[in-house]
Coordinates of all heavy atoms in Angstrom, one line a residue:
I1 N -0.4 20.0 145.5 CA 0.1 20.9 146.5 C 0.7 20.2 147.6 O 1.8 20.5 148.1 CB -1.1 21.8 147.0 CG1 -1.5 22.8 145.8 CG2 -0.7 22.6 148.2 CD1 -2.8 23.6 146.1
E2 N 0.0 19.1 148.1 CA 0.5 18.4 149.3 C 1.8 17.6 148.9 O 2.8 17.6 149.7 CB -0.5 17.4 149.7 CG -0.1 16.6 151.0 CD -1.2 15.6 151.4 OE1 -2.3 15.6 150.8 OE2 -1.0 14.9 152.5
M3 N 1.8 17.0 147.7 CA 3.0 16.2 147.3 C 4.2 17.1 147.1 O 5.3 16.6 147.3 CB 2.7 15.5 145.9 CG 1.8 14.3 146.1 SD 1.3 13.6 144.4 CE 2.9 13.3 143.7
A4 N 4.0 18.4 146.9 CA 5.1 19.3 146.7 C 5.6 19.8 148.0 O 6.6 20.7 148.0 CB 4.7 20.4 145.8
G5 N 5.1 19.4 149.1 CA 5.6 19.9 150.4 C 5.1 21.2 150.7 O 5.7 22.0 151.4
L6 N 3.8 21.5 150.3 CA 3.2 22.8 150.5 C 2.0 22.7 151.3 O 1.4 21.7 151.4 CB 2.9 23.5 149.1 CG 4.1 23.7 148.1 CD1 3.6 24.0 146.7 CD2 5.0 24.8 148.6
K7 N 1.5 23.8 151.8 CA 0.2 23.9 152.5 C -0.5 25.1 152.1 O 0.1 26.1 151.6 CB 0.5 23.9 154.0 CG 1.3 25.2 154.5 CD 1.5 25.1 156.0 CE 2.4 26.3 156.5 NZ 2.7 26.2 157.9
V8 N -1.8 25.1 152.2 CA -2.7 26.2 151.8 C -2.8 27.1 153.0 O -3.3 26.7 154.1 CB -4.1 25.7 151.3 CG1 -4.9 27.0 151.0 CG2 -3.9 24.8 150.1
I9 N -2.4 28.3 152.9 CA -2.5 29.3 154.0 C -3.9 30.0 153.9 O -4.6 30.1 154.9 CB -1.4 30.4 153.9 CG1 0.0 29.8 154.0 CG2 -1.6 31.5 154.9 CD1 1.1 30.7 153.6
A10 N -4.3 30.4 152.7 CA -5.6 31.0 152.5 C -5.9 31.1 151.0 O -5.0 30.7 150.2 CB -5.6 32.4 153.1
R11 N -7.1 31.5 150.7 CA -7.5 31.6 149.3 C -8.4 32.8 149.1 O -9.3 33.0 149.8 CB -8.2 30.3 148.8 CG -8.3 30.2 147.3 CD -9.0 28.9 146.9 NE -10.5 29.1 147.1 CZ -11.2 28.2 147.7 NH1 -10.7 27.1 148.2 NH2 -12.5 28.4 147.8
L12 N -8.1 33.6 148.1 CA -8.9 34.7 147.7 C -9.7 34.4 146.4 O -9.0 34.0 145.5 CB -8.1 36.0 147.5 CG -7.6 36.7 148.8 CD1 -6.5 35.9 149.5 CD2 -7.1 38.1 148.4
D13 N -11.0 34.6 146.4 CA -11.8 34.2 145.2 C -12.5 35.5 144.6 O -12.8 36.4 145.4 CB -12.9 33.2 145.6 CG -12.3 31.9 146.1 OD1 -11.2 31.5 145.7 OD2 -13.0 31.2 146.9
T14 N -12.7 35.3 143.4 CA -13.5 36.4 142.7 C -14.2 35.8 141.5 O -13.8 34.7 141.0 CB -12.6 37.5 142.2 OG1 -13.4 38.6 141.7 CG2 -11.6 37.1 141.1
R15 N -15.3 36.4 141.0 CA -16.1 35.9 139.9 C -15.6 36.7 138.6 O -15.4 37.9 138.7 CB -17.5 36.2 140.2 CG -18.2 35.3 141.2 CD -18.5 34.0 140.6 NE -19.2 33.1 141.5 CZ -19.7 31.9 141.3 NH1 -19.4 31.4 140.0 NH2 -20.3 31.2 142.2
P16 N -15.5 35.9 137.5 CA -15.1 36.6 136.3 C -16.2 37.6 135.8 O -17.4 37.4 136.1 CB -15.1 35.5 135.3 CG -14.9 34.2 136.1 CD -15.6 34.5 137.4
K17 N -15.8 38.6 135.1 CA -16.7 39.7 134.6 C -16.7 39.7 133.1 O -17.4 40.6 132.5 CB -16.2 41.0 135.1 CG -16.1 41.1 136.6 CD -15.6 42.5 137.1 CE -15.4 42.6 138.6 NZ -14.3 41.8 139.1
H18 N -16.1 38.7 132.4 CA -16.0 38.8 131.0 C -17.4 38.4 130.4 O -18.2 37.7 131.0 CB -14.9 37.9 130.5 CG -15.1 36.4 130.8 ND1 -15.8 35.6 130.1 CD2 -14.6 35.7 131.9 CE1 -15.8 34.4 130.6 NE2 -15.0 34.4 131.7
P19 N -17.7 38.9 129.2 CA -19.0 38.8 128.6 C -19.4 37.3 128.4 O -20.6 37.0 128.5 CB -18.8 39.5 127.2 CG -17.7 40.4 127.4 CD -16.8 39.8 128.3
K20 N -18.5 36.4 128.1 CA -18.9 35.0 127.8 C -19.5 34.3 129.1 O -20.3 33.4 128.9 CB -17.7 34.2 127.4 CG -17.3 34.5 125.9 CD -16.2 33.5 125.5 CE -15.9 33.8 124.0 NZ -14.8 32.9 123.5
A21 N -19.2 34.9 130.3 CA -19.9 34.3 131.5 C -21.4 34.6 131.5 O -22.1 33.9 132.2 CB -19.2 34.9 132.7
Q22 N -21.8 35.6 130.7 CA -23.2 35.9 130.6 C -23.9 35.4 129.4 O -25.1 35.6 129.2 CB -23.4 37.5 130.7 CG -22.6 38.1 131.8 CD -22.8 37.7 133.2 OE1 -24.0 37.4 133.5 NE2 -21.8 37.6 134.0
D23 N -23.1 34.8 128.4 CA -23.7 34.5 127.1 C -24.2 33.0 127.2 O -23.5 32.1 127.1 CB -22.5 34.6 126.1 CG -23.0 34.3 124.7 OD1 -24.2 34.0 124.5 OD2 -22.2 34.3 123.7
A24 N -25.5 32.9 127.2 CA -26.2 31.6 127.3 C -26.0 30.8 126.0 O -26.1 29.5 126.1 CB -27.6 31.7 127.6
S25 N -25.6 31.4 124.9 CA -25.4 30.7 123.6 C -24.1 30.1 123.5 O -23.8 29.3 122.6 CB -25.7 31.6 122.5 OG -24.7 32.6 122.4
D26 N -23.2 30.5 124.4 CA -21.8 29.9 124.4 C -21.8 28.4 124.7 O -22.5 28.0 125.7 CB -20.9 30.7 125.4 CG -19.5 30.2 125.3 OD1 -19.1 29.2 125.9 OD2 -18.7 30.9 124.6
P27 N -21.2 27.6 123.9 CA -21.2 26.1 124.2 C -20.7 25.7 125.6 O -21.0 24.6 126.1 CB -20.4 25.5 123.1 CG -19.6 26.6 122.5 CD -20.4 27.9 122.7
L28 N -19.9 26.6 126.2 CA -19.3 26.3 127.5 C -19.9 27.2 128.6 O -19.3 27.4 129.6 CB -17.8 26.5 127.5 CG -17.0 25.7 126.4 CD1 -15.5 26.0 126.5 CD2 -17.3 24.2 126.5
H29 N -21.1 27.7 128.3 CA -21.7 28.7 129.2 C -21.9 28.2 130.7 O -21.6 28.9 131.6 CB -23.1 29.1 128.7 CG -23.9 29.9 129.7 ND1 -23.5 31.2 130.0 CD2 -25.0 29.6 130.4 CE1 -24.4 31.7 130.9 NE2 -25.3 30.8 131.2
A30 N -22.3 26.9 130.8 CA -22.5 26.4 132.2 C -21.2 26.5 133.0 O -21.2 26.9 134.2 CB -23.0 25.0 132.2
A31 N -20.1 26.1 132.4 CA -18.8 26.2 133.1 C -18.4 27.6 133.3 O -17.9 27.9 134.4 CB -17.7 25.4 132.3
R32 N -18.6 28.4 132.3 CA -18.1 29.8 132.5 C -19.0 30.6 133.5 O -18.4 31.4 134.3 CB -18.2 30.5 131.1 CG -17.3 30.0 130.0 CD -17.4 31.0 128.9 NE -16.8 30.4 127.6 CZ -15.6 30.3 127.3 NH1 -14.6 30.7 128.2 NH2 -15.2 29.7 126.1
A33 N -20.2 30.2 133.6 CA -21.1 30.9 134.6 C -20.8 30.5 136.0 O -21.0 31.3 137.0 CB -22.6 30.6 134.3
A34 N -20.2 29.3 136.2 CA -19.9 28.8 137.5 C -18.4 29.1 137.9 O -18.0 28.9 139.0 CB -20.1 27.3 137.6
E35 N -17.7 29.6 137.0 CA -16.2 29.8 137.2 C -15.9 30.8 138.3 O -16.5 31.8 138.5 CB -15.6 30.4 135.9 CG -14.1 30.6 135.9 CD -13.6 31.2 134.6 OE1 -14.4 31.6 133.7 OE2 -12.3 31.4 134.5
V36 N -14.8 30.4 139.1 CA -14.3 31.3 140.1 C -12.8 31.3 139.9 O -12.1 30.3 139.6 CB -14.5 30.7 141.5 CG1 -13.8 31.5 142.6 CG2 -16.1 30.7 141.8
T37 N -12.3 32.5 139.9 CA -10.8 32.7 139.8 C -10.3 32.9 141.2 O -10.8 33.7 142.0 CB -10.5 34.0 138.9 OG1 -11.1 33.8 137.6 CG2 -9.0 34.2 138.8
S38 N -9.2 32.2 141.5 CA -8.7 32.2 142.9 C -7.2 32.6 142.9 O -6.4 32.2 142.0 CB -8.9 30.8 143.5 OG -10.2 30.5 143.6
L39 N -6.8 33.2 144.0 CA -5.4 33.4 144.3 C -5.1 32.5 145.6 O -5.6 32.8 146.7 CB -5.0 34.8 144.6 CG -3.6 35.2 144.9 CD1 -3.2 36.6 144.5 CD2 -3.2 35.0 146.3
W40 N -4.4 31.4 145.3 CA -4.1 30.5 146.4 C -2.8 30.9 147.1 O -1.7 31.0 146.5 CB -3.9 29.0 145.9 CG -5.1 28.4 145.3 CD1 -5.6 28.7 144.1 CD2 -5.8 27.3 145.9 NE1 -6.7 27.8 143.9 CE2 -6.9 27.0 145.0 CE3 -5.7 26.6 147.1 CZ2 -7.8 26.0 145.2 CZ3 -6.7 25.6 147.3 CH2 -7.7 25.3 146.4
R41 N -2.9 31.2 148.4 CA -1.7 31.6 149.2 C -1.1 30.3 149.8 O -1.7 29.6 150.6 CB -2.0 32.6 150.3 CG -2.5 33.9 149.8 CD -2.9 34.8 150.9 NE -1.9 34.9 151.9 CZ -2.1 35.3 153.2 NH1 -3.4 35.5 153.6 NH2 -1.2 35.4 154.1
L42 N 0.1 29.9 149.3 CA 0.7 28.6 149.7 C 2.0 28.9 150.4 O 2.7 29.9 150.2 CB 1.1 27.8 148.4 CG -0.1 27.6 147.4 CD1 0.4 26.9 146.2 CD2 -1.2 26.7 148.1
G43 N 2.2 28.0 151.4 CA 3.5 28.1 152.2 C 4.2 26.8 152.2 O 3.6 25.8 151.8
R44 N 5.4 26.8 152.6 CA 6.1 25.5 152.8 C 5.5 24.7 153.9 O 5.2 25.3 155.0 CB 7.6 25.7 153.0 CG 8.3 26.1 151.8 CD 9.7 26.6 152.1 NE 10.5 25.9 153.0 CZ 11.8 26.0 153.3 NH1 12.4 27.0 152.7 NH2 12.4 25.3 154.2
A45 N 5.3 23.4 153.8 CA 4.7 22.6 154.8 C 5.6 22.6 156.1 O 5.1 22.4 157.2 CB 4.5 21.2 154.4
D46 N 6.9 22.8 155.9 CA 7.8 22.9 157.1 C 8.1 24.3 157.5 O 9.0 24.6 158.3 CB 9.1 22.2 156.7 CG 9.9 22.9 155.6 OD1 9.3 23.8 154.9 OD2 11.0 22.6 155.3
G47 N 7.3 25.3 157.0 CA 7.5 26.6 157.3 C 6.8 27.1 158.5 O 6.2 26.3 159.3

């Protein structure tokens, strides 16, 4: 982000609701349970 001449204005986060996030038998369960989906609001660094 920085190398591209951008800056972070804000970030909106949410937790996934899909079933695999609750499935302890899934081989990637730990990562899925901790997952956060974000919308990064970026602006031009010179903006």
Side-chain angles (χ1 to χ4, degrees):
I1 291 172
E2 183 178 1
M3 287 173 57
L6 301 167
K7 62 184 178 183
V8 178
I9 300 169
R11 195 183 75 231
L12 283 72
D13 297 333
T14 188
R15 288 279 185 178
K17 305 178 181 69
H18 59 87
K20 285 188 177 180
Q22 315 300 325
D23 183 5
S25 67
D26 186 277
L28 305 180
H29 172 68
R32 295 190 197 279
E35 181 185 5
V36 172
T37 302
S38 301
L39 185 152
W40 295 74
R41 294 175 55 201
L42 307 174
R44 285 169 44 172
D46 63 350

